[in-house]
Amino acid sequence: MESFNELYLLAKEKIINADNIAIITHINPDGDCIGSAAALRELILSFGKDASIYNENGCPASLGFIEDCKSVCTCSAPDTKYDLVIWVDCGSLDRAGKVAWVFNSCKYMINIDHHATNTMFADINIVDGKASATGLLIYDFFVACSAEITKHTAELLYMAIATDTGNFSYASTDKRTHMVAGELIEKGIDVSGISQKLFRATTYNRLKLMQLALGTLKMYCDGKVAVMNVTKAMFAETGTDSSDSEGFIGYARDIGGVEVAALLRDTTDGKLVKVSLRSNSYTDVSKIAEELGGGGHFYAAGFSMEGKIPDVEKILIERISKVI
Ligand SMILES: [Mn+2]
């Protein structure tokens, strides 16, 4: 197997020889996939090429402060033919959602990701399950190509890494994470400003949604499992959407004695329940998520299931109670 460095150089060659390039990011995008994709586009531009970034949902309002968000395409029907598609922060093909058409007729695919459950679906798979964020891999891509990291690129990569590490606080935050963050800070980025926009900025509507969600908090398994719900009705009542519930699960996870936290959310059409899982020390929630059709990491994972929240919650608690 080639080294990561060889894979990056091979990917660079494919980019240089491609006519039409698209970058696919995952449904319900976060700072890691958007920051990584936008930084990757900067690298592609430095090769004298360009790429369109696709996302089913477009950019969440919380990331609206990044100028690059305006150019994210949400088009769900074919409008261009791409010969090279680069996947960023996606563990499997279904993560494309409604922009799946982008890769349907492409000739070549590159997969850059850090999910341990990645299905290695592309022609080149640059997957490092130990990396705390895909942003770290995009940083390595720049280094492998000796490409210049501008202040703007540094902001995008910092945002990616800060997002997936919970502002450098999750267990995945290792020496490599801080070393790369240090290199990015050296480019003159505004760490305090980015942190404020990413982690503290909020809205009245979001706080009202949080109030309703906290009202559903329940404990199971002798206080080792905490569960919260966000229903379609709550989104409607507060004029919010799924992106406004990002981070809610942290409140359940942080309760003393809790090992596993779950947040069950209705999708806007009310057909699917999206479940986020977090663990604190010994439970591999990616295994639970995989059993139920999803995936993720040891401490953070998720899955979606058709049905109503109470039914999905029952199935979930049965599974969790077997391993906790
Ligand atoms: Mn990620």
Side-chain angles (χ1 to χ4, degrees):
M1 200 188 134
E2 295 97 341
S3 69
F4 277 97
N5 212 47
E6 285 168 332
L7 292 174
Y8 286 124
L9 295 176
L10 182 59
K12 178 185 177 181
E13 194 189 306
K14 293 291 172 188
I15 290 167
I16 287 169
N17 292 317
D19 292 321
N20 267 316
I21 308 168
I23 300 171
I24 292 183
T25 51
H26 60 75
I27 45 175
N28 301 311
D30 56 25
D32 188 27
C33 80
I34 296 295
S36 294
L40 175 60
R41 182 165 174 262
E42 294 292 320
L43 181 63
I44 293 170
L45 287 170
S46 80
F47 299 154
K49 295 280 172 173
D50 199 357
S52 304
I53 300 172
Y54 281 87
N55 188 279
E56 171 178 313
N57 316 87
C59 242
S62 57
L63 297 179
F65 67 93
I66 321 161
E67 193 61 23
D68 304 71
C69 278
K70 289 183 188 142
S71 61
V72 173
C73 318
T74 54
C75 184
S76 60
D79 64 353
T80 312
K81 230 173 153 53
Y82 292 100
D83 54 346
L84 174 65
V85 168
I86 310 176
W87 294 72
V88 164
D89 203 34
C90 295
S92 52
L93 290 170
D94 59 335
R95 300 291 284 149
K98 289 183 182 126
V99 298
W101 65 266
V102 170
F103 75 89
N104 281 341
S105 60
C106 78
K107 294 192 201 102
Y108 206 85
M109 296 205 290
I110 300 170
N111 164 20
I112 306 177
D113 184 40
H114 70 127
H115 292 91
T117 51
N118 192 290
T119 58
M120 305 291 183
F121 52 82
D123 300 291
I124 307 180
N125 298 292
I126 307 175
V127 177
D128 180 359
K130 291 197 192 78
S132 57
T134 295
L136 286 180
L137 304 182
I138 303 296
Y139 173 84
D140 290 345
F141 199 172
F142 272 84
V143 173
C145 299
S146 307
E148 189 205 347
I149 295 179
T150 62
K151 183 181 168 189
H152 178 59
T153 300
E155 285 166 350
L156 295 169
L157 292 175
Y158 187 89
M159 179 182 85
I161 298 165
T163 298
D164 265 26
T165 58
N167 216 6
F168 305 92
S169 68
Y170 297 158
S172 59
T173 309
D174 54 4
K175 181 180 172 185
R176 176 183 177 192
T177 308
H178 278 292
M179 296 289 274
V180 172
E183 295 294 328
L184 299 174
I185 289 168
E186 211 169 54
K187 304 290 178 189
I189 62 173
D190 176 9
V191 170
S192 158
I194 295 172
S195 304
Q196 199 282 334
K197 287 174 186 131
L198 275 183
F199 301 103
R200 299 200 299 277
T202 190
T203 62
Y204 177 73
N205 287 354
R206 182 180 131 84
L207 287 183
K208 293 302 282 181
L209 181 70
M210 190 187 292
Q211 185 178 38
L212 296 175
L214 287 171
T216 68
L217 183 66
K218 281 185 290 275
M219 306 297 281
Y220 294 98
C221 304
D222 297 323
K224 283 188 277 195
V225 179
V227 178
M228 276 164 65
N229 300 160
V230 184
T231 64
K232 204 180 143 193
M234 292 178 190
F235 288 129
E237 187 183 330
T238 55
T240 53
D241 62 32
S242 166
S243 68
D244 290 298
S245 57
E246 289 305 324
F248 286 9
I249 195 168
Y251 292 95
R253 181 199 58 213
D254 293 341
I255 299 168
V258 164
E259 167 59 12
V260 173
L263 178 72
L264 292 88
R265 285 179 281 191
D266 279 330
T267 50
T268 345
D269 61 13
K271 284 181 188 147
L272 275 181
V273 176
K274 282 189 58 207
V275 181
S276 304
L277 298 170
R278 297 289 184 275
S279 74
N280 275 317
S281 68
Y282 58 86
T283 310
D284 183 354
V285 285
S286 76
K287 283 198 179 142
I288 299 170
E290 261 189 325
E291 279 174 16
L292 297 167
H297 309 282
F298 191 98
Y299 296 109
F303 65 93
S304 295
M305 196 178 270
E306 270 181 51
K308 299 274 168 233
I309 285 179
D311 304 324
V312 176
E313 187 167 311
K314 193 161 171 277
I315 294 166
L316 176 67
I317 296 303
E318 274 169 21
R319 293 282 174 151
I320 297 176
S321 58
K322 279 183 200 153
V323 293
I324 204 144

